[in-house]
Amino acid sequence: NNLPRFGLGLAALGRPGYINLNRDVVFGAVGTEGRQLEGMQNRADEVMGALIAECSNRKAATGDSLTPWFDCARSYGLSE
């Protein structure tokens, strides 16, 4: 389709080790709630929801449509 696309790479959301700067600040230390599956899933849901909302807000404000897309792969851990 001819719509502009707005993408989100999910590697860091499904595999916190992918981030190598300030990882503990973003996710918490190993063994904390931020590194547990439920915490990671909640954070991923928030980020994906924000992408979808941004695309909707842009359409409402400008009339331009954005098609959100998500980049994930098995090698990204649980991002699938």
Side-chain angles (χ1 to χ4, degrees):
N1 79 37
N2 293 326
L3 297 175
R5 298 188 328 170
F6 191 20
L8 174 66
L10 297 175
L13 295 174
R15 186 173 155 214
Y18 191 81
I19 294 178
N20 58 8
L21 298 173
N22 297 318
R23 178 184 3 218
D24 290 346
V25 173
V26 174
F27 291 101
V30 173
T32 63
E33 184 178 331
R35 294 277 187 105
Q36 301 299 319
L37 179 59
E38 185 175 346
M40 290 174 57
Q41 180 66 58
N42 290 339
R43 185 174 294 107
D45 290 345
E46 289 174 17
V47 172
M48 290 185 290
L51 172 66
I52 292 167
E54 181 62 30
C55 290
S56 295
N57 291 340
R58 179 175 169 156
K59 182 173 182 173
T62 68
D64 294 335
S65 293
L66 283 175
T67 302
W69 59 275
F70 302 94
D71 171 35
C72 68
R74 278 188 285 207
S75 63
Y76 294 175
L78 296 175
S79 71
E80 276 191 308

